[in-house]
Amino acid sequence: MEVRYSPDPVRFSRMTNQEIRDNFLIETLFKADTIEMVYSDVDRAIIGSAVPADKPLTLSTADELRAEFFCKRRELGVLNAGGEGAIEVDGQSFDMKKLECLYIGRGSREITFSSKNGSEPACFYLLSYPAHKEYPVKHAKIEDALQAHLGSKDTCNERTIYKYIHPDGIESCQLVMGFTEIAKGSVWNTMPPHLHPRRMEAYMYFDISKENRVFHFMGKPDEMRHIVVADKQALVSPSWSIHSGAGTSGYRFCWGMGGENQDFNDMDHLGIDDLK
């Protein structure tokens, strides 16, 4: 498990492009037959992946957690961004098609990931936060998600938000999670951007073709920087940073948050004239 300590906004404004990538971009996810984990000191989030190609993969604890098993004091959200697979939690198996979500609550001991077809393996994206209460394991298909249609063709930000783990959906302690799908012909996932100083956020961009990229914008509104992101790469977005991005083609991204509250709409909206 890699451990990262996030720079503050003062240091961020003085960082080189490579330093920004090294601190906030996660390029090491989704390796075949491997569970990858990055532990962030921002709200103690863990961002990871599991790609069971030739064999099932079992999620184990890590020295950094000082816990008997991974979810002893944590909850875990999983989104499948690849082929069909399955997740077994304490003997209960859940089939996982692409874009389906599984919430795994605190106290779950044995967690195993597998694929239906090793040549087209499942690509499980993992996001975990500390938890103070046990909630039941719950599986959600895409038709179970709460959908919100936002933006317009005129502003190139038409998109659909699919909310899985949230107060009116799958219950959790502090994890909020879902994904956004950019409509054909649109590029922006949020513009104008917003802030929510009460929650950090993690992004995982996927379904980006090899010849395309997403430009993820971050920083304080008057100190913006960008990170060029390829398929199935993730970012740590601290609470002081704006949240926005634009792609050179269509894409999806999984968003997840943890922090002071679970109110998805708790945002401090910005105007175009606030950005520099």
Side-chain angles (χ1 to χ4, degrees), residues 134-147:
E134 292 76 21
Y135 285 96
V137 178
K138 192 166 183 180
H139 173 235
K141 300 178 180 179
I142 192 167
E143 55 266 28
D144 300 322
L146 179 63
Q147 298 183 26

Side-chain angles (χ1 to χ4, degrees), residues 21 25 27 187 205-216 226-233 245-251:
R21 292 179 66 86
L25 180 65
E27 302 179 86
V187 296
Y205 290 96
F206 64 105
D207 286 348
I208 307 170
S209 59
K210 290 183 179 180
E211 65 274 16
N212 286 290
R213 295 291 186 272
V214 170
F215 290 74
H216 178 86
H226 75 273
I227 301 177
V228 180
V229 185
D231 186 47
K232 292 186 177 65
Q233 294 181 347
T248 58
S249 71
Y251 59 97

Side-chain angles (χ1 to χ4, degrees), residues 75-76 101-105 135-138 165 170-173:
E75 58 188 356
L76 173 66
C101 177
L102 186 70
Y103 172 79
I104 302 172
Y135 285 96
V137 178
K138 192 166 183 180
I165 304 172
I170 299 175
E171 288 187 293
S172 68
C173 289

Side-chain angles (χ1 to χ4, degrees), residues 243-275:
H243 307 81
S244 185
T248 58
S249 71
Y251 59 97
R252 296 182 173 108
F253 69 97
C254 180
W255 46 265
M257 295 173 279
E260 193 67 30
N261 64 41
Q262 292 183 301
D263 183 1
F264 181 88
N265 294 317
D266 177 22
M267 304 175 189
D268 298 339
H269 295 281
L270 300 167
I272 293 293
D273 57 348
D274 294 316
L275 307 180

